[in-house]
Amino acid sequence: MEYQVKGSQLEFEGRLLRIRTDQVEGPDSHIQLVEVVEHPGAVAIIPLGPEGNVWFVEQYRHPAQKKMVEIPAGTLNSDELPADCAQRECREEIGMAAGELIPLGAAYIAPGYSTELLHFFLARALTPSALAPDEGEDLLVRKIPLEQAWQDALDGHFIDVKTIAGLVMARAFLTAEAAAAS
């Protein structure tokens, strides 16, 4: 027997998230209550300039109660393709369009309680093409050399999982690309 949802109750519906409680029956016929945060999905972008700098944004994150330096990211709109969202978020958050947008993969943020799937992209061939930021966003753009950003991740200076994962994925891609070119 597979896992089966025997019932579901909506607990909360907000602007971005829905929270439901599912009654899930397992192979042993035991029923457990599982709280699920429904999220439309998101993108995270590692914008890499021709000089070798990664573009980051610094912004206040209320749940963490602090300003954080992160790679640009954002939530998918309804029926929006991840690559289109990545291009839009790159323009909104750092004012640059990506001439080259390379998908690096996707990962669930917290599959124990959330449906959020995060799509990672390496953005290169950046050109100025700003869009207005989302209402209420107060972003400071920072550029950090790729090797320094990697070392900062290893040293624990980034405490945001999407930034750490994005840097790891970008480094793996760039290393493989360099190896194939030589």
Side-chain angles (χ1 to χ4, degrees), residues 17-81:
L17 305 171
R18 290 171 35 116
I19 300 174
R20 69 175 197 263
T21 301
D22 290 349
Q23 296 174 4
V24 180
E25 183 178 5
D28 62 357
S29 297
H30 175 74
I31 293 181
Q32 62 179 330
L33 296 179
V34 180
E35 294 169 341
V36 179
V37 176
E38 295 178 9
H39 188 282
V43 300
I45 309 108
I46 304 86
L48 184 61
E51 69 291 336
N53 289 328
V54 178
W55 295 52
F56 291 87
V57 292
E58 180 180 322
Q59 61 186 317
Y60 176 72
R61 294 298 200 177
H62 185 71
Q65 297 283 301
K66 63 175 71 182
K67 285 189 175 184
M68 298 176 69
V69 177
E70 309 171 14
I71 57 176
T75 302
L76 288 161
N77 290 329
S78 178
D79 297 325
E80 185 177 32
L81 295 173

Side-chain angles (χ1 to χ4, degrees), residues 65-146:
Q65 297 283 301
K66 63 175 71 182
K67 285 189 175 184
M68 298 176 69
V69 177
E70 309 171 14
I71 57 176
T75 302
L76 288 161
N77 290 329
S78 178
D79 297 325
E80 185 177 32
L81 295 173
D84 293 340
C85 181
Q87 189 68 264
R88 175 178 52 79
E89 288 294 338
C90 202
R91 294 178 63 204
E92 285 177 4
E93 295 202 354
I94 67 168
M96 303 295 275
E100 182 179 24
L101 201 57
I102 302 163
L104 299 175
Y108 283 98
I109 294 300
Y113 64 84
S114 175
T115 64
E116 182 178 359
L117 182 63
L118 184 59
H119 304 267
F120 292 88
F121 292 88
L122 177 64
R124 295 194 288 202
L126 303 174
T127 57
S129 182
L131 288 176
D134 289 336
E135 186 178 334
E137 273 190 330
D138 181 21
L139 305 173
L140 175 64
V141 176
R142 293 185 167 203
K143 297 179 196 176
I144 302 173
L146 177 61

Side-chain angles (χ1 to χ4, degrees), residues 146-147 150 167-182:
L146 177 61
E147 288 305 314
W150 176 246
L167 288 170
V168 168
M169 295 171 94
R171 185 174 176 91
F173 175 84
L174 293 167
T175 300
E177 182 181 59
S182 56

